[in-house]
Amino acid sequence: MTSIFTVHAASGYEQLMGRWSRRLAPKFIDFAGLATGEKILDVGCGTGSLTFELAKSADLAEIQAIDFSPVFVEAARERNTDPRVTISQADATALPFADDAFDRALALLVLHFVPEAGKAVAEMRRVVRPGGVAAAVVWDHYGGMPGMRMMIDTVAALSESGRQMRSRYCFQPMMQPGEMKRTFVEQGLVDVTEAELMIRMDYADFDDFWAPIGAGEGPLGKYMTTLDAAERERVEAAVRDAYQAGRPHGPRSFVSVAWACRGIVP
């Protein structure tokens, strides 16, 4: 098992996170860099937020994208119309590519769901040529996502299982300040740089916020599937109250911060 992310339907992921991944992708590409004629590997492509943002650059020679989930691979393939893009199912900790095959390997919102994240970084380094770039970005679940913390703190106040879920959520791999940078250095990358990237997550109303979670998508949705009907109803009511914060039902906007890390293959 090389991913702890739960996905049932690509459409559910799009509502939960894909739409926000697309906002983050251009900022991540600016951080990671691109150059004319390069071959790029997208590690953990999901539904293609980074893949298809990369494809907007007419100067790239090739884009390979892999994901562990067949649901994501199928969805991304259905979207693809660019002959430079190849999408396949593969394991981030055992990439099916030769050494030095790419100019850059990029991972958007992936490493925190890979139990052996250091091994995935090592594989990214292996498949990138000397002088090339490995880069990754993950959400700061502990301090940088108030919209999601609003939910998990509410759930944690209701039960011991909720408190345990919060601990798992807040301390996934690669999320603490400096953690990715240390891992990149440990895997032999040089000139390693860490930065913060920020977007806003805008919701039309509570149903827009809650629907994918209530349907069981992602880590928070997976927790909801462990509850009986009465407890799910109790949790939803409590989170709705937190979302509305005493004001009428309607749109809300939450800042979201991600840690980004970039290193050079020596």
Side-chain angles (χ1 to χ4, degrees), residues 56-124:
K56 291 179 182 179
S57 173
D59 296 331
L60 295 180
E62 178 184 338
I63 303 165
Q64 290 279 349
I66 66 101
D67 201 277
F68 189 70
S69 166
V71 174
F72 284 153
V73 170
E74 181 181 2
R77 283 175 173 169
E78 288 177 356
R79 289 181 58 194
N80 184 37
T81 59
D82 193 317
R84 298 171 302 161
V85 174
T86 302
I87 302 160
S88 55
Q89 185 178 5
D91 183 339
T93 64
L95 295 170
F97 304 106
D99 296 358
D100 307 339
F102 299 97
D103 298 290
R104 298 175 200 261
L106 312 181
L108 175 76
L109 305 179
V110 174
L111 291 186
H112 49 317
F113 294 115
V114 180
E116 295 181 288
K119 191 173 181 180
V121 174
E123 278 291 273
M124 291 169 68

Side-chain angles (χ1 to χ4, degrees), residues 25-42 49-64 82 84 102-107 128-129 131-135 262-264:
K27 293 176 180 286
F28 178 47
I29 291 171
D30 287 345
F31 173 78
L34 290 180
T36 299
E38 287 190 330
K39 297 180 179 180
I40 310 295
L41 174 62
D42 178 0
S49 297
L50 178 60
T51 305
F52 300 122
E53 189 65 30
L54 287 165
K56 291 179 182 179
S57 173
D59 296 331
L60 295 180
E62 178 184 338
I63 303 165
Q64 290 279 349
D82 193 317
R84 298 171 302 161
F102 299 97
D103 298 290
R104 298 175 200 261
L106 312 181
V128 171
R129 63 167 174 80
V133 172
R262 176 186 68 227
I264 307 297

Side-chain angles (χ1 to χ4, degrees), residues 55-210:
K56 291 179 182 179
S57 173
D59 296 331
L60 295 180
E62 178 184 338
I63 303 165
Q64 290 279 349
I66 66 101
D67 201 277
F68 189 70
S69 166
V71 174
F72 284 153
V73 170
E74 181 181 2
R77 283 175 173 169
E78 288 177 356
R79 289 181 58 194
N80 184 37
T81 59
D82 193 317
R84 298 171 302 161
V85 174
T86 302
I87 302 160
S88 55
Q89 185 178 5
D91 183 339
T93 64
L95 295 170
F97 304 106
D99 296 358
D100 307 339
F102 299 97
D103 298 290
R104 298 175 200 261
L106 312 181
L108 175 76
L109 305 179
V110 174
L111 291 186
H112 49 317
F113 294 115
V114 180
E116 295 181 288
K119 191 173 181 180
V121 174
E123 278 291 273
M124 291 169 68
R125 178 197 164 176
R126 179 184 65 79
V127 301
V128 171
R129 63 167 174 80
V133 172
V137 62
V138 302
W139 293 123
D140 176 5
H141 279 184
Y142 183 81
M145 298 192 76
M148 294 302 170
R149 279 299 301 268
M150 172 191 71
M151 173 183 169
I152 65 168
D153 286 341
T154 299
V155 172
L158 298 178
S159 69
E160 177 58 28
S161 65
R163 286 188 286 277
Q164 293 174 7
M165 182 273 293
R166 177 173 62 184
S167 180
R168 292 192 300 271
Y169 181 84
C170 289
F171 295 100
Q172 287 175 237
M174 303 291 104
M175 288 188 168
Q176 303 312 302
E179 187 178 1
M180 262 203 305
K181 184 174 183 178
R182 287 192 299 273
T183 301
F184 272 47
V185 171
E186 288 167 359
Q187 297 304 329
L189 293 157
V190 299
D191 297 330
V192 178
T193 302
E194 188 176 71
E196 297 176 34
L197 306 180
M198 187 186 79
I199 65 165
R200 295 199 72 91
M201 296 181 175
D202 301 306
Y203 297 95
D205 51 30
F206 177 73
D207 292 337
D208 188 30
F209 174 86
W210 181 257

